[in-house]
Amino acid sequence: MLDVLVIGGGPAGVVAALRAGDLGARTALVTEGEFGGMAANDGPVPVRTLAHAARLIRNARQLGRYGIQVGEPRLDYSQLLERVGEVVADVRAHATFRSQSDSAGVQIYEHAGVARFVDSHTIVTESGLTLHSDKIILCPGGTSRRLSVPGAELTATHSDAWGLDSVPQSFIVIGGGATGAQVASVFNAFGAKIQLFQGGPRILPTEDEDVSAAVAAAFRESGIAVREDFGTIESFEKTPSGIRMHFSKNGNRESAQAALAVVAIGWVANTSALDLSKAGVETNARGFVGVDEFLRTSASNIFAAGDVTGRLMLVPQAIQDGFVAATNAMKGSAMKRLNQPAPIGSFTDPEYAQVGLTETKARGKHEIAIARADFKSTTRTIIDGRTTGFCKLIADRTTREILGCHVVGERAVEITQMAAVAMAGNLRVDDLAQVPLSFPTYGGVLSRVAAMITRQLNLNLDWQGNRAEDARVKRLS
């Protein structure tokens, strides 16, 4: 019998297996597909490669502003897909987790097919494996939610979109969250005509309201038709050139059509085939597994990590969960689930990112100070011709704690990660203002907004951040 069996080969599962192996456990990892899971094969790696191509197209279109004469960029999508395949293969070949897992003695079973429980210690797989283990860690990930209206089977998922072998002339994208926004933005850059539908009052509903408004405005300016609060979808039907969606609001029926309709309305846990009831593992209506603060499920010997818990469905959090779950599987209740600032962002055009509380949530709990620097007034963004967007920082007026950071525009994700490091290190906003970040840089914008809040709070600094930046703004005003 194994000491630890990990089900799922994504980031959570890979780290869980490695951690268990490092702790001396006889460990096996079984995965339905390839090692690395969605992150390496159908998620961040291939998607970021496509997004990078979209960025290169945007950059090429402004070369003339800098005296560099070239022709209009033209996309060879088949060649781009070859590059995506090269990147995925290269990442997989050089993945340190694979070599580390091998050195830790982890048995890895790829392409095992769907696994299902026989009892709380035993699973069987489609490939014919039967594995017994003292402890089991569930890391099967999630899968796209599907609509339940007539004709829904005619629609595609975001995974289908990333797997296309050519760029359709037009898309209907249903769902204005992070995934839908990214599909819309990338394929808009590739020349497709995009209609983005969001059932709620704003796209990116989990973001700060200023972020949602700025990204929606930028999308519309780029040619994306953004339909917020559009009503209810009634059905889909096939047309000679693609698909038609029928929807209504307040008794008024409308339709939209395109070559392809992509549904990106969230995730459900990938647990339906696991027969979790035979193991005594409880799930909610969307299949997500309930866990305690130690990532233990309702079955005392079974833990869960990553997307399957329904928490933040992101690679960094999945990695942390995998480490915590494996530690507790081997050592008992030794480590609680980590609760650190979690930066979240997307490589759309424009980029957007956040960490911490939105302005609305911060106001509900704190007396706050806010500063915002628009990218049209910051030096590096002007140099690079990337003046769309802003950096917004939120702090507590009394404690000077940094509560949140929200960025729209070039390098938004990198700026926000710097804010996350400051928050994790318990830097006060006036501490951050005194860090002499390089000038002119995107990161330097962060210390500028920190200095703006510090001035609001009438705090004295030994060193005034971004002195050159402030002087330039005064000359322009």
Side-chain angles (χ1 to χ4, degrees):
M1 177 180 281
L2 296 164
D3 295 320
V4 175
L5 170 63
V6 178
I7 301 174
V14 167
V15 172
L18 175 59
R19 174 62 171 166
D22 283 343
L23 291 174
R26 290 169 296 174
T27 306
L29 181 150
V30 58
T31 178
E32 181 177 350
E34 294 186 355
F35 185 88
M38 176 182 164
N41 303 296
D42 180 35
V45 174
V47 173
R48 295 300 182 262
T49 308
L50 292 171
H52 181 60
R55 175 189 289 275
L56 291 174
I57 291 172
R58 296 192 296 271
N59 288 343
R61 285 179 175 147
Q62 71 161 359
L63 289 176
R65 298 178 65 187
Y66 294 85
I68 304 170
Q69 301 304 318
V70 295
E72 179 69 15
R74 184 181 63 85
L75 176 66
D76 184 331
Y77 198 66
S78 61
Q79 188 172 345
L80 171 57
L81 292 181
E82 288 180 14
R83 175 58 183 160
V84 171
E86 290 172 358
V87 170
V88 170
D90 203 25
V91 168
R92 191 182 300 128
H94 294 91
T96 57
F97 282 142
R98 183 59 186 259
S99 61
Q100 290 172 341
S101 297
D102 291 339
S103 66
V106 177
Q107 296 174 265
I108 298 173
Y109 300 97
E110 294 184 271
H111 304 289
V114 174
R116 63 179 178 82
F117 279 88
V118 176
D119 56 48
S120 61
H121 293 277
T122 309
I123 68 160
V124 296
T125 71
E126 283 183 307
S127 65
L129 282 172
T130 299
L131 297 170
H132 308 274
S133 183
D134 181 31
K135 302 290 176 62
I136 297 176
I137 304 175
L138 296 172
C139 310
T143 188
S144 299
R145 283 181 63 203
R146 304 304 298 257
L147 289 166
S148 56
V149 299
E153 70 279 1
L154 301 172
T155 65
T157 68
H158 73 280
S159 296
D160 298 325
W162 303 133
L164 292 169
D165 57 12
S166 62
V167 179
Q169 289 186 338
S170 56
F171 279 77
I172 294 170
V173 180
I174 302 147
T179 301
Q182 191 157 255
V183 171
S185 180
V186 168
F187 283 99
N188 181 60
F190 292 164
K193 183 178 180 181
I194 307 294
Q195 300 175 75
L196 176 61
F197 287 82
Q198 167 65 8
R202 59 189 177 99
I203 65 169
L204 307 179
T206 61
E207 301 296 320
D208 188 88
E209 291 185 15
D210 286 350
V211 171
S212 295
V215 174
F219 275 14
R220 290 185 172 107
E221 188 175 349
S222 72
I224 297 173
V226 179
R227 293 284 303 269
E228 295 163 317
D229 196 19
F230 70 91
T232 303
I233 297 173
E234 296 182 345
S235 65
F236 295 90
E237 64 176 337
K238 188 174 179 58
T239 68
S241 59
I243 190 170
R244 181 179 292 113
M245 179 178 77
H246 297 281
F247 59 98
S248 64
K249 182 178 180 181
N250 300 327
N252 297 317
R253 299 185 76 244
E254 295 185 66
S255 66
Q257 61 184 51
L260 184 70
V262 175
V263 176
I265 56 172
W267 292 81
V268 294
N270 192 21
T271 54
S272 60
L274 282 171
D275 281 348
L276 290 176
S277 61
K278 291 183 178 179
V281 176
E282 297 175 358
T283 61
N284 66 17
R286 290 175 62 182
F288 292 116
V289 174
V291 292
D292 63 16
E293 59 187 346
F294 302 104
L295 297 181
R296 182 182 286 107
T297 71
S298 53
S300 61
N301 71 306
I302 300 178
F303 297 76
D307 290 2
V308 73
T309 66
R311 196 166 158 251
L312 284 173
M313 290 181 252
L314 300 166
V315 170
Q317 284 68 38
I319 288 172
Q320 291 180 341
D321 275 6
F323 188 93
V324 171
T327 300
N328 292 331
M330 289 297 296
K331 294 188 172 186
S333 300
M335 180 180 290
K336 293 183 179 180
R337 180 164 59 183
L338 301 177
N339 187 25
Q340 296 175 322
I344 303 170
S346 187
F347 297 91
T348 50
D349 180 28
E351 287 185 16
Y352 66 89
Q354 61 144 306
V355 64
L357 300 177
T358 64
E359 180 179 342
T360 298
K361 289 183 178 179
R363 287 190 185 282
K365 298 179 179 180
H366 303 263
E367 184 180 355
I368 62 173
I370 298 175
R372 169 172 163 161
D374 290 332
F375 278 11
K376 63 184 178 182
S377 66
T378 57
T379 301
R380 180 57 186 269
T381 54
I382 293 173
I383 291 170
D384 290 355
R386 297 298 184 195
T387 56
T388 296
F390 61 86
C391 175
K392 175 179 177 179
L393 199 64
I394 306 167
D396 185 286
R397 282 188 170 273
T398 303
T399 66
R400 287 127 60 198
E401 176 189 2
I402 301 170
L403 301 174
C405 179
H406 304 273
V407 186
V408 174
E410 194 76 356
R411 308 296 175 187
V413 176
E414 281 79 3
I415 295 171
T416 307
Q417 288 190 135
M418 290 181 63
V421 170
M423 293 166 69
N426 295 315
L427 287 184
R428 300 172 306 181
V429 68
D430 47 316
D431 295 326
L432 178 56
Q434 295 181 81
V435 177
L437 298 176
S438 297
F439 173 86
T441 61
Y442 288 95
V445 177
L446 190 59
S447 60
R448 175 182 169 184
V449 289
M452 291 166 68
I453 290 181
T454 301
R455 288 194 295 272
Q456 285 184 39
L457 300 179
N458 295 317
L459 298 174
N460 293 319
L461 296 182
D462 295 328
W463 181 86
Q464 186 67 41
N466 282 324
R467 204 179 283 274
E469 185 83 344
D470 293 337
R472 190 194 65 79
V473 173
K474 287 179 181 179
R475 289 197 303 272
L476 294 176
S477 60

